[in-house]
Coordinates of all heavy atoms in Angstrom, one line a residue:
M1 N 0.8 -1.2 0.0 CA 0.0 0.0 0.0 C 0.9 1.2 0.0 O 0.7 2.1 -0.8 CB -0.9 -0.1 1.2 CG -1.8 1.2 1.3 SD -3.0 1.4 -0.1 CE -3.8 2.9 0.3
I2 N 1.8 1.3 0.9 CA 2.7 2.5 1.0 C 3.5 2.6 -0.2 O 3.6 3.7 -0.7 CB 3.5 2.4 2.3 CG1 2.6 2.6 3.5 CG2 4.5 3.5 2.3 CD1 3.2 2.3 4.8
S3 N 4.1 1.5 -0.7 CA 5.0 1.6 -1.9 C 4.1 2.0 -3.1 O 4.7 2.6 -3.9 CB 5.6 0.2 -2.1 OG 4.7 -0.8 -2.4
R4 N 2.9 1.6 -3.1 CA 2.1 2.0 -4.2 C 1.8 3.5 -4.1 O 1.8 4.1 -5.2 CB 0.7 1.3 -4.0 CG 0.1 1.0 -5.4 CD -0.9 -0.1 -5.2 NE -1.9 -0.1 -6.4 CZ -3.0 -0.8 -6.4 NH1 -3.3 -1.5 -5.4 NH2 -3.7 -0.7 -7.4
L5 N 1.6 4.0 -3.0 CA 1.4 5.5 -2.9 C 2.7 6.2 -3.3 O 2.6 7.2 -3.9 CB 1.1 5.8 -1.4 CG -0.3 5.8 -1.0 CD1 -0.5 6.0 0.5 CD2 -1.1 6.8 -1.7
F6 N 3.8 5.6 -2.9 CA 5.1 6.2 -3.3 C 5.3 6.2 -4.7 O 5.7 7.2 -5.3 CB 6.2 5.4 -2.6 CG 7.6 6.0 -2.7 CD1 7.8 7.3 -2.1 CD2 8.6 5.4 -3.4 CE1 9.0 7.9 -2.3 CE2 9.8 6.0 -3.5 CZ 10.0 7.2 -3.0
Q7 N 4.9 5.1 -5.4 CA 5.0 5.1 -6.9 C 4.1 6.2 -7.5 O 4.5 6.9 -8.4 CB 4.4 3.7 -7.4 CG 5.5 2.6 -7.2 CD 6.7 2.8 -8.0 OE1 6.7 3.2 -9.2 NE2 7.9 2.5 -7.4
L8 N 2.9 6.3 -6.9 CA 2.0 7.3 -7.4 C 2.6 8.7 -7.3 O 2.6 9.6 -8.2 CB 0.7 7.3 -6.6 CG -0.5 6.8 -7.3 CD1 -1.6 6.6 -6.2 CD2 -1.0 7.8 -8.3
F9 N 3.2 8.9 -6.1 CA 3.9 10.2 -5.8 C 5.0 10.5 -6.8 O 5.2 11.6 -7.3 CB 4.4 10.2 -4.4 CG 5.2 11.4 -4.0 CD1 4.5 12.6 -3.7 CD2 6.6 11.4 -4.0 CE1 5.1 13.8 -3.4 CE2 7.2 12.6 -3.6 CZ 6.5 13.7 -3.4
K10 N 5.8 9.4 -7.1 CA 6.9 9.6 -8.0 C 6.4 9.8 -9.5 O 7.1 10.6 -10.2 CB 7.7 8.3 -8.0 CG 9.0 8.4 -7.1 CD 9.7 7.2 -6.9 CE 10.1 6.4 -8.1 NZ 11.0 5.3 -7.7
K11 N 5.3 9.2 -9.8 CA 4.9 9.4 -11.2 C 4.1 10.6 -11.5 O 4.0 11.1 -12.6 CB 4.1 8.2 -11.6 CG 4.9 7.0 -11.9 CD 4.1 5.8 -12.4 CE 5.0 4.6 -12.6 NZ 4.2 3.4 -12.7
R12 N 3.5 11.2 -10.5 CA 2.6 12.3 -10.7 C 3.4 13.5 -11.3 O 4.6 13.6 -10.9 CB 1.8 12.7 -9.5 CG 2.6 13.5 -8.5 CD 1.9 13.6 -7.2 NE 2.8 14.2 -6.2 CZ 2.9 15.5 -6.1 NH1 2.1 16.3 -6.7 NH2 3.7 16.0 -5.2
S13 N 2.8 14.3 -12.0 CA 3.6 15.5 -12.5 C 3.7 16.5 -11.4 O 3.0 16.5 -10.4 CB 2.8 16.1 -13.7 OG 1.5 16.4 -13.3
L14 N 4.6 17.5 -11.7 CA 4.9 18.5 -10.7 C 3.7 19.5 -10.6 O 3.0 19.8 -11.6 CB 6.1 19.3 -11.1 CG 7.4 18.5 -11.1 CD1 8.5 19.4 -11.7 CD2 7.8 18.0 -9.8
G15 N 3.5 20.0 -9.4 CA 2.5 21.0 -9.2 C 3.1 22.4 -9.2 O 4.3 22.5 -9.2
C16 N 2.2 23.4 -9.3 CA 2.7 24.7 -9.4 C 3.7 25.1 -8.3 O 4.7 25.7 -8.6 CB 1.5 25.7 -9.3 SG 0.4 25.5 -10.8
P17 N 3.4 24.8 -7.0 CA 4.4 25.2 -6.0 C 5.7 24.6 -6.2 O 6.8 25.2 -5.9 CB 3.8 24.7 -4.7 CG 2.3 24.5 -5.0 CD 2.3 24.2 -6.4
E18 N 5.8 23.4 -6.6 CA 7.1 22.7 -6.9 C 7.8 23.3 -8.0 O 9.0 23.5 -8.0 CB 6.8 21.2 -7.1 CG 6.4 20.4 -5.9 CD 5.6 19.2 -6.3 OE1 4.6 19.3 -7.0 OE2 6.0 18.1 -5.8
V19 N 7.0 23.6 -9.1 CA 7.6 24.2 -10.2 C 8.3 25.5 -9.9 O 9.4 25.9 -10.3 CB 6.6 24.4 -11.4 CG1 7.1 25.3 -12.5 CG2 6.2 23.0 -11.9
R20 N 7.5 26.4 -9.1 CA 8.0 27.7 -8.7 C 9.2 27.6 -7.8 O 10.2 28.3 -7.8 CB 7.0 28.5 -8.1 CG 6.0 28.9 -9.2 CD 4.7 29.5 -8.7 NE 3.7 29.3 -9.7 CZ 2.6 30.2 -9.8 NH1 2.5 31.2 -9.0 NH2 1.8 30.0 -10.8
A21 N 9.2 26.5 -6.9 CA 10.3 26.4 -5.9 C 11.6 25.9 -6.7 O 12.7 26.3 -6.3 CB 10.0 25.3 -4.9
L22 N 11.4 25.2 -7.8 CA 12.5 24.7 -8.6 C 12.9 25.7 -9.7 O 13.9 25.4 -10.4 CB 12.2 23.3 -9.2 CG 12.0 22.2 -8.1 CD1 11.4 21.0 -8.8 CD2 13.3 21.8 -7.5
A23 N 12.2 26.7 -9.9 CA 12.4 27.5 -11.1 C 13.8 28.1 -11.3 O 14.4 28.1 -12.3 CB 11.4 28.7 -11.1
S24 N 14.4 28.6 -10.2 CA 15.8 29.2 -10.3 C 16.8 28.1 -10.6 O 17.7 28.3 -11.4 CB 16.1 29.9 -9.1 OG 16.6 29.1 -8.0
D25 N 16.6 26.9 -10.0 CA 17.6 25.8 -10.4 C 17.3 25.3 -11.8 O 18.3 25.0 -12.5 CB 17.3 24.6 -9.4 CG 17.7 24.8 -8.0 OD1 18.7 25.7 -7.9 OD2 17.2 24.2 -7.1
F26 N 16.1 25.4 -12.2 CA 15.7 25.0 -13.6 C 16.4 25.9 -14.6 O 17.0 25.5 -15.6 CB 14.2 25.1 -13.8 CG 13.7 24.9 -15.2 CD1 13.9 23.8 -15.8 CD2 13.1 26.0 -15.8 CE1 13.4 23.6 -17.2 CE2 12.7 25.9 -17.1 CZ 12.8 24.7 -17.8
M27 N 16.4 27.2 -14.3 CA 17.1 28.2 -15.2 C 18.6 28.1 -15.2 O 19.3 28.3 -16.2 CB 16.7 29.6 -14.8 CG 15.3 29.9 -15.2 SD 14.8 31.6 -15.0 CE 15.2 31.8 -13.2
D28 N 19.1 27.7 -14.0 CA 20.6 27.5 -13.9 C 21.0 26.2 -14.5 O 22.2 26.0 -14.6 CB 21.0 27.6 -12.5 CG 20.9 28.9 -11.9 OD1 20.7 29.9 -12.6 OD2 20.8 29.0 -10.6
G29 N 20.1 25.3 -14.9 CA 20.4 24.0 -15.4 C 20.9 23.1 -14.4 O 21.7 22.2 -14.7
D30 N 20.6 23.3 -13.1 CA 21.1 22.5 -12.0 C 20.2 21.3 -11.8 O 20.6 20.5 -10.9 CB 21.1 23.4 -10.7 CG 22.2 24.4 -10.7 OD1 23.1 24.2 -11.6 OD2 22.2 25.3 -9.8
L31 N 19.2 21.1 -12.5 CA 18.3 20.0 -12.2 C 18.6 18.8 -13.2 O 19.1 19.0 -14.3 CB 16.8 20.4 -12.5 CG 16.3 21.5 -11.5 CD1 15.0 21.9 -11.9 CD2 16.3 21.0 -10.0
S32 N 18.2 17.6 -12.8 CA 18.4 16.5 -13.6 C 17.4 16.6 -14.9 O 16.4 17.3 -14.8 CB 18.0 15.2 -12.9 OG 16.6 15.2 -12.6
K33 N 17.8 15.9 -15.9 CA 17.0 16.0 -17.2 C 15.5 15.7 -16.9 O 14.6 16.2 -17.5 CB 17.6 15.0 -18.2 CG 18.5 15.8 -19.1 CD 18.7 14.9 -20.4 CE 19.5 15.7 -21.4 NZ 20.6 14.9 -22.0
R34 N 15.4 14.6 -16.0 CA 13.9 14.1 -15.8 C 13.1 15.2 -15.1 O 12.0 15.5 -15.5 CB 14.0 12.9 -14.9 CG 13.1 11.8 -15.4 CD 13.2 10.6 -14.5 NE 12.4 10.8 -13.3 CZ 12.6 10.3 -12.1 NH1 13.6 9.5 -12.0 NH2 11.8 10.5 -11.1
V35 N 13.7 15.9 -14.1 CA 13.0 17.0 -13.4 C 12.7 18.2 -14.3 O 11.7 18.7 -14.4 CB 13.7 17.4 -12.1 CG1 13.0 18.5 -11.5 CG2 13.9 16.2 -11.2
S36 N 13.8 18.6 -15.1 CA 13.6 19.7 -15.9 C 12.6 19.5 -17.1 O 11.9 20.4 -17.5 CB 14.9 20.3 -16.4 OG 15.7 19.3 -17.0
S37 N 12.5 18.2 -17.6 CA 11.6 18.0 -18.6 C 10.1 18.0 -18.0 O 9.2 18.3 -18.6 CB 11.9 16.6 -19.3 OG 11.5 15.5 -18.4
K38 N 10.0 17.6 -16.7 CA 8.7 17.6 -16.0 C 8.3 19.1 -15.9 O 7.1 19.5 -16.1 CB 8.8 17.1 -14.6 CG 8.6 15.6 -14.6 CD 8.6 15.0 -13.2 CE 8.2 13.6 -13.2 NZ 8.1 13.1 -11.8
I39 N 9.3 20.0 -15.6 CA 9.0 21.4 -15.4 C 8.6 22.0 -16.8 O 7.6 22.7 -16.9 CB 10.2 22.2 -14.8 CG1 10.4 21.7 -13.4 CG2 10.0 23.6 -14.9 CD1 11.6 22.3 -12.8
E40 N 9.3 21.6 -17.9 CA 9.0 22.1 -19.2 C 7.6 21.7 -19.6 O 6.8 22.5 -20.1 CB 10.0 21.6 -20.2 CG 11.3 22.4 -20.3 CD 12.4 21.7 -20.9 OE1 12.2 20.7 -21.6 OE2 13.5 22.1 -20.7
S41 N 7.2 20.5 -19.3 CA 5.9 20.0 -19.7 C 4.8 20.7 -18.8 O 3.7 21.0 -19.3 CB 5.7 18.5 -19.7 OG 6.1 18.0 -18.4
H42 N 5.1 21.0 -17.6 CA 4.2 21.7 -16.8 C 4.0 23.2 -17.3 O 2.9 23.7 -17.4 CB 4.7 21.8 -15.3 CG 3.7 22.6 -14.4 ND1 2.8 22.0 -13.6 CD2 3.6 23.9 -14.2 CE1 2.1 22.9 -13.0 NE2 2.6 24.1 -13.3
I43 N 5.0 23.8 -17.7 CA 5.1 25.2 -18.1 C 4.3 25.3 -19.5 O 3.5 26.3 -19.7 CB 6.5 25.7 -18.4 CG1 7.1 26.0 -17.0 CG2 6.5 26.9 -19.2 CD1 8.6 26.3 -17.1
E44 N 4.4 24.2 -20.3 CA 3.6 24.2 -21.6 C 2.1 24.3 -21.3 O 1.3 24.8 -22.1 CB 3.9 23.0 -22.4 CG 5.2 23.1 -23.2 CD 5.6 21.9 -23.9 OE1 4.7 21.0 -24.1 OE2 6.8 21.7 -24.1
L45 N 1.7 23.7 -20.2 CA 0.2 23.6 -19.9 C -0.2 24.6 -18.9 O -1.5 24.9 -18.8 CB -0.1 22.2 -19.3 CG 0.2 21.0 -20.2 CD1 0.2 19.7 -19.4 CD2 -0.7 21.0 -21.4
C46 N 0.7 25.2 -18.2 CA 0.3 26.2 -17.1 C 0.7 27.6 -17.4 O 2.0 27.9 -17.3 CB 0.8 25.7 -15.8 SG 0.4 26.7 -14.4
A47 N -0.1 28.4 -17.8 CA 0.2 29.8 -18.1 C 0.8 30.6 -17.0 O 1.7 31.4 -17.2 CB -1.0 30.5 -18.7
A48 N 0.3 30.3 -15.8 CA 0.8 31.0 -14.6 C 2.2 30.7 -14.3 O 3.0 31.7 -14.1 CB -0.1 30.7 -13.4
C49 N 2.6 29.5 -14.4 CA 4.0 29.1 -14.2 C 4.9 29.6 -15.3 O 6.0 29.9 -15.1 CB 4.1 27.6 -13.9 SG 3.5 27.1 -12.3
A50 N 4.4 29.5 -16.5 CA 5.1 30.0 -17.7 C 5.5 31.5 -17.5 O 6.6 31.9 -17.7 CB 4.4 29.8 -19.0
A51 N 4.5 32.3 -17.0 CA 4.7 33.7 -16.8 C 5.7 33.9 -15.7 O 6.6 34.8 -15.7 CB 3.4 34.3 -16.5
F52 N 5.6 33.0 -14.6 CA 6.5 33.1 -13.5 C 8.0 32.9 -13.9 O 8.9 33.7 -13.6 CB 6.1 32.1 -12.4 CG 7.0 32.0 -11.2 CD1 6.7 32.9 -10.2 CD2 8.1 31.2 -11.1 CE1 7.5 32.8 -9.0 CE2 8.8 31.2 -10.0 CZ 8.5 32.0 -8.9
V53 N 8.2 31.9 -14.7 CA 9.5 31.5 -15.2 C 10.0 32.6 -16.1 O 11.2 33.1 -16.0 CB 9.6 30.2 -15.9 CG1 10.9 29.9 -16.6 CG2 9.3 29.1 -14.8
R54 N 9.2 33.1 -17.0 CA 9.5 34.2 -17.9 C 10.0 35.5 -17.1 O 11.0 36.0 -17.5 CB 8.4 34.6 -18.8 CG 8.5 34.1 -20.2 CD 7.7 34.9 -21.2 NE 6.3 35.2 -20.7 CZ 5.3 34.4 -20.9 NH1 5.4 33.3 -21.4 NH2 4.1 34.8 -20.4
T55 N 9.2 35.8 -16.1 CA 9.5 37.0 -15.3 C 10.8 36.8 -14.6 O 11.7 37.7 -14.6 CB 8.4 37.3 -14.3 OG1 7.2 37.3 -15.0 CG2 8.6 38.6 -13.6
M56 N 11.0 35.7 -14.1 CA 12.2 35.4 -13.3 C 13.4 35.4 -14.2 O 14.4 36.0 -13.8 CB 12.1 34.0 -12.7 CG 12.9 33.8 -11.4 SD 12.4 32.3 -10.6 CE 13.5 32.4 -9.2
R57 N 13.3 34.8 -15.4 CA 14.4 34.8 -16.3 C 14.8 36.3 -16.7 O 16.0 36.6 -16.8 CB 14.0 34.0 -17.5 CG 15.2 33.7 -18.4 CD 14.8 32.7 -19.5 NE 14.9 31.3 -19.0 CZ 14.3 30.3 -19.5 NH1 13.4 30.4 -20.5 NH2 14.5 29.1 -19.1
A58 N 13.7 37.1 -17.0 CA 14.0 38.5 -17.4 C 14.7 39.2 -16.3 O 15.6 40.0 -16.5 CB 12.7 39.1 -17.8
T59 N 14.3 39.0 -15.1 CA 14.9 39.7 -13.9 C 16.4 39.3 -13.8 O 17.3 40.1 -13.6 CB 14.2 39.3 -12.6 OG1 12.8 39.5 -12.8 CG2 14.6 40.1 -11.4
V60 N 16.7 38.0 -13.9 CA 18.0 37.5 -13.8 C 18.9 38.1 -14.9 O 20.0 38.6 -14.7 CB 18.0 36.0 -13.9 CG1 19.5 35.5 -14.1 CG2 17.5 35.4 -12.6
Q61 N 18.3 38.2 -16.1 CA 19.1 38.8 -17.2 C 19.4 40.3 -17.1 O 20.4 40.7 -17.3 CB 18.3 38.6 -18.6 CG 18.5 37.1 -19.1 CD 17.6 36.9 -20.3 OE1 16.8 37.7 -20.7 NE2 17.8 35.7 -20.9
M62 N 18.4 40.9 -16.5 CA 18.5 42.4 -16.3 C 19.6 42.6 -15.2 O 20.4 43.5 -15.4 CB 17.2 42.9 -15.8 CG 17.0 44.4 -15.9 SD 15.4 44.9 -15.2 CE 15.7 44.6 -13.5
L63 N 19.6 41.8 -14.2 CA 20.6 42.0 -13.1 C 21.9 41.6 -13.6 O 22.9 42.3 -13.3 CB 20.2 41.0 -11.9 CG 19.0 41.5 -11.1 CD1 18.8 40.4 -10.0 CD2 19.3 42.8 -10.5
S64 N 22.1 40.6 -14.5 CA 23.4 40.3 -14.9 C 24.0 41.2 -16.0 O 25.1 41.3 -16.2 CB 23.4 38.8 -15.4 OG 22.6 38.7 -16.6
A65 N 23.0 42.0 -16.6 CA 23.5 43.0 -17.6 C 23.9 44.3 -17.0 O 24.5 45.1 -17.6 CB 22.3 43.2 -18.6
M66 N 23.5 44.5 -15.7 CA 23.9 45.7 -15.0 C 25.4 45.8 -14.7 O 25.9 44.7 -14.3 CB 23.1 45.9 -13.7 CG 21.8 46.7 -13.9 SD 20.7 46.5 -12.5 CE 21.7 46.7 -11.1
P67 N 26.0 46.9 -14.9 CA 27.4 47.0 -14.7 C 27.7 46.8 -13.1 O 26.9 47.3 -12.3 CB 27.8 48.4 -15.1 CG 26.5 49.2 -15.1 CD 25.4 48.2 -15.4
R68 N 28.7 46.1 -12.8 CA 29.0 45.9 -11.4 C 29.6 47.2 -10.8 O 30.5 47.8 -11.4 CB 30.0 44.8 -11.3 CG 29.4 43.5 -11.7 CD 30.2 42.4 -11.4 NE 29.5 41.2 -11.8 CZ 29.7 40.0 -11.3 NH1 30.6 39.8 -10.4 NH2 29.0 38.9 -11.7
S69 N 29.1 47.6 -9.7 CA 29.6 48.8 -9.1 C 30.8 48.6 -8.2 O 30.7 48.6 -7.0 CB 28.4 49.5 -8.3 OG 28.0 48.6 -7.3
T70 N 31.9 48.3 -8.9 CA 33.1 48.1 -8.1 C 33.9 49.4 -8.0 O 33.8 50.2 -9.0 CB 34.0 47.0 -8.7 OG1 34.1 47.4 -10.1 CG2 33.4 45.6 -8.5
L71 N 34.5 49.7 -6.9 CA 35.3 50.9 -6.8 C 36.6 50.8 -7.5 O 37.2 49.7 -7.6 CB 35.5 51.2 -5.3 CG 34.2 51.4 -4.5 CD1 34.6 51.4 -3.0 CD2 33.5 52.7 -4.9
P72 N 37.1 51.9 -8.0 CA 38.4 51.9 -8.7 C 39.5 51.5 -7.7 O 39.3 51.8 -6.5 CB 38.5 53.3 -9.2 CG 37.6 54.2 -8.4 CD 36.5 53.3 -8.0
P73 N 40.5 50.9 -8.2 CA 41.7 50.5 -7.3 C 42.2 51.7 -6.6 O 42.5 52.8 -7.2 CB 42.7 49.8 -8.2 CG 42.3 50.3 -9.6 CD 40.8 50.5 -9.6
G74 N 42.5 51.6 -5.3 CA 43.1 52.7 -4.6 C 42.1 53.7 -4.1 O 42.5 54.6 -3.4
F75 N 40.9 53.5 -4.4 CA 39.8 54.4 -4.0 C 39.7 54.5 -2.4 O 39.7 55.6 -1.9 CB 38.5 54.0 -4.5 CG 37.3 55.0 -4.1 CD1 37.1 56.1 -4.9 CD2 36.5 54.7 -3.1 CE1 36.1 57.0 -4.5 CE2 35.5 55.5 -2.7 CZ 35.3 56.7 -3.4
G76 N 39.7 53.4 -1.8 CA 39.6 53.4 -0.3 C 40.7 54.1 0.3 O 40.6 54.8 1.3
E77 N 42.0 53.9 -0.2 CA 43.2 54.5 0.4 C 43.1 56.0 0.1 O 43.4 56.8 1.1 CB 44.4 54.0 -0.3 CG 44.8 52.5 0.2 CD 45.5 51.8 -0.9 OE1 46.4 52.4 -1.5 OE2 45.2 50.6 -1.1
R78 N 42.7 56.5 -1.0 CA 42.7 57.9 -1.3 C 41.6 58.5 -0.4 O 41.8 59.6 0.1 CB 42.3 58.2 -2.8 CG 43.5 57.9 -3.7 CD 43.4 58.7 -5.0 NE 42.1 58.4 -5.7 CZ 42.0 57.3 -6.5 NH1 43.0 56.5 -6.8 NH2 40.9 57.1 -7.1
L79 N 40.5 57.8 -0.2 CA 39.4 58.4 0.6 C 39.9 58.5 2.0 O 39.7 59.6 2.6 CB 38.2 57.4 0.5 CG 37.0 57.9 1.3 CD1 36.4 59.1 0.6 CD2 36.0 56.8 1.5
S80 N 40.6 57.5 2.5 CA 41.0 57.6 4.0 C 42.1 58.6 4.1 O 42.2 59.3 5.1 CB 41.5 56.2 4.5 OG 42.6 55.8 3.8
E81 N 43.0 58.8 3.1 CA 44.0 59.9 3.1 C 43.3 61.3 3.2 O 43.7 62.1 4.0 CB 44.9 59.8 1.8 CG 46.1 58.9 2.0 CD 46.8 58.7 0.6 OE1 46.7 59.7 -0.2 OE2 47.3 57.7 0.4
R82 N 42.3 61.4 2.3 CA 41.7 62.7 2.2 C 40.9 63.0 3.6 O 41.0 64.1 4.1 CB 40.6 62.7 1.1 CG 40.0 64.0 0.9 CD 39.1 64.0 -0.3 NE 39.7 63.9 -1.6 CZ 39.1 64.0 -2.7 NH1 37.8 64.0 -2.8 NH2 39.8 63.8 -3.8
L83 N 40.3 62.0 4.1 CA 39.6 62.1 5.4 C 40.5 62.5 6.5 O 40.3 63.4 7.3 CB 38.8 60.9 5.7 CG 37.5 60.6 4.9 CD1 37.0 59.3 5.3 CD2 36.5 61.8 5.1
S84 N 41.7 61.8 6.5 CA 42.6 62.1 7.6 C 43.2 63.5 7.4 O 43.5 64.2 8.4 CB 43.7 61.0 7.7 OG 44.4 60.9 6.5
G85 N 43.4 63.9 6.1 CA 44.0 65.2 5.8 C 43.0 66.3 6.3 O 43.4 67.3 6.9
E86 N 41.7 66.1 6.0 CA 40.8 67.1 6.3 C 40.6 67.2 7.8 O 40.4 68.3 8.4 CB 39.4 66.7 5.8 CG 39.3 67.1 4.3 CD 38.0 66.7 3.7 OE1 37.1 66.2 4.4 OE2 37.9 66.8 2.4
R87 N 40.8 66.1 8.5 CA 40.7 66.1 10.0 C 41.9 66.9 10.6 O 41.7 67.6 11.6 CB 40.7 64.6 10.5 CG 39.8 64.4 11.6 CD 39.8 63.0 12.1 NE 39.3 62.1 11.1 CZ 39.7 60.8 10.8 NH1 40.8 60.4 11.4 NH2 39.1 60.1 10.0
G88 N 43.1 66.9 9.9 CA 44.2 67.5 10.4 C 44.1 69.1 10.2 O 44.9 69.8 10.8
Q89 N 43.3 69.5 9.3 CA 43.2 71.0 9.0 C 42.7 71.8 10.2 O 41.7 71.4 10.8 CB 42.4 71.2 7.8 CG 43.3 70.9 6.5 CD 42.4 71.0 5.2 OE1 41.2 71.2 5.3 NE2 43.0 70.8 4.1
Ligands
ZN101 ZN1 1.7 25.8 -12.7

């Protein structure tokens, strides 16, 4: 009985909460082929999850396209020099 339930659980397709929980791993390609194909087939049938993944993907792309705000080399030293100079005046 229990093993039968387990089989059922294994075979059933993914639900919306599972798809959304796995969405970021799915985009990173961190999931096994079996799981990601389950997600793909869910997305084909479920407009809400398709939109969720699309939005998430667009957000990730936007963030990775943004220039990284790193400080120029030596900036910290110049800043502290200036600060200590001003303090001495
Ligand atoms: Zn869904």
